Amino acid sequence: MGALTVISEGELGESDANITITSIPDTYDHLWMVTSIREGASYFVNLEYRFNDDSSPYSNTYLWRQSAASGTVSGRNTSSEVGDVISRCGGDSLLADTFSSSSLWIINYAGTDNFKMCLMQASVPNSSSTDDQYTSMLSVGLYAETPAINKIRMQGAGGPHFQQYTSYVLYGVTGV
């Protein structure tokens, strides 16, 4: 059975453009980050994770369901289309005090022989049956660099700010 160790945790006391975690030690097998997020956008926006301040190369393959009418959507973005690993988060148009949840697994983040694979899932709930006002997403991302990841920045696409009470926990995972 694996062990989880809290590396960093926090909650925003006021809105902020991003959450940045630095000085991540290379002593674990993997990283796992869980978040409770509310953005300053409409119902939901893309959530971007950037590693080591690199704006490329990233790629993403995703599967998401936005509403009953839109059906399930899948696709792929390459490093020429994205500058970060992508997930989703909810915004200000959701029911008051509703936060979305997201998790990010970074496999073999400290290894220097291979690229870094990420597994993400997000859920943006809303007490609405109106199409395009809620979503769920699964995605796989690739950070095509070999240096160990020692810094993670999380931000909303296009610049909206994370709202007060957005929180996160970053775990180091060993023995898995």
Side-chain angles (χ1 to χ4, degrees), residues 15-66:
S15 67
D16 203 337
N18 65 66
I19 293 172
T20 302
I21 303 168
T22 60
S23 303
I24 299 170
D26 63 359
T27 53
Y28 303 99
D29 297 325
H30 315 289
L31 296 176
W32 182 39
M33 185 173 181
V34 293
T35 57
S36 175
I37 308 168
R38 187 173 174 96
E39 258 273 330
S42 60
Y43 289 101
F44 48 86
V45 297
N46 284 337
L47 176 63
E48 301 173 339
Y49 296 97
R50 181 171 290 184
F51 308 125
N52 298 342
D53 286 328
D54 286 340
S55 60
S56 67
Y58 297 90
S59 62
N60 300 281
T61 301
Y62 55 87
L63 178 68
W64 58 273
R65 175 90 182 203
Q66 186 166 311

Side-chain angles (χ1 to χ4, degrees), residues 15-16 29 63 84 86 92 100 125 127 132 136 138 145 170 176:
S15 67
D16 203 337
D29 297 325
L63 178 68
D84 305 284
I86 305 294
D92 279 348
S100 56
S127 63
D132 302 330
S136 293
L138 296 172
E145 291 290 342
L170 177 66
V176 176

Side-chain angles (χ1 to χ4, degrees), residues 34-172:
V34 293
T35 57
S36 175
I37 308 168
R38 187 173 174 96
E39 258 273 330
S42 60
Y43 289 101
F44 48 86
V45 297
N46 284 337
L47 176 63
E48 301 173 339
Y49 296 97
R50 181 171 290 184
F51 308 125
N52 298 342
D53 286 328
D54 286 340
S55 60
S56 67
Y58 297 90
S59 62
N60 300 281
T61 301
Y62 55 87
L63 178 68
W64 58 273
R65 175 90 182 203
Q66 186 166 311
S67 66
S70 68
T72 303
V73 176
S74 64
R76 179 161 169 46
N77 296 316
T78 64
S79 61
S80 63
E81 299 166 317
V82 295
D84 305 284
V85 172
I86 305 294
S87 187
R88 290 267 169 126
C89 65
D92 279 348
S93 295
L94 295 176
L95 184 67
D97 300 326
T98 300
F99 282 70
S100 56
S101 63
S102 181
S103 69
L104 165 71
W105 277 94
I106 306 173
I107 300 165
N108 193 29
Y109 79 101
T112 57
D113 294 333
N114 297 311
F115 295 159
K116 311 306 183 267
M117 187 168 42
C118 306
L119 305 172
M120 293 149 295
Q121 72 180 65
S123 177
V124 181
N126 197 9
S127 63
S128 170
S129 59
T130 303
D131 285 341
D132 302 330
Q133 292 185 359
Y134 55 92
T135 188
S136 293
M137 181 178 201
L138 296 172
S139 57
V140 177
L142 181 69
Y143 171 51
E145 291 290 342
T146 56
I149 294 174
N150 58 27
K151 182 176 183 178
I152 299 172
R153 185 177 76 211
M154 183 176 68
Q155 65 188 26
H161 286 44
F162 294 124
Q163 299 301 303
Q164 183 180 23
Y165 307 120
T166 290
S167 61
Y168 70 91
V169 181
L170 177 66
Y171 296 96

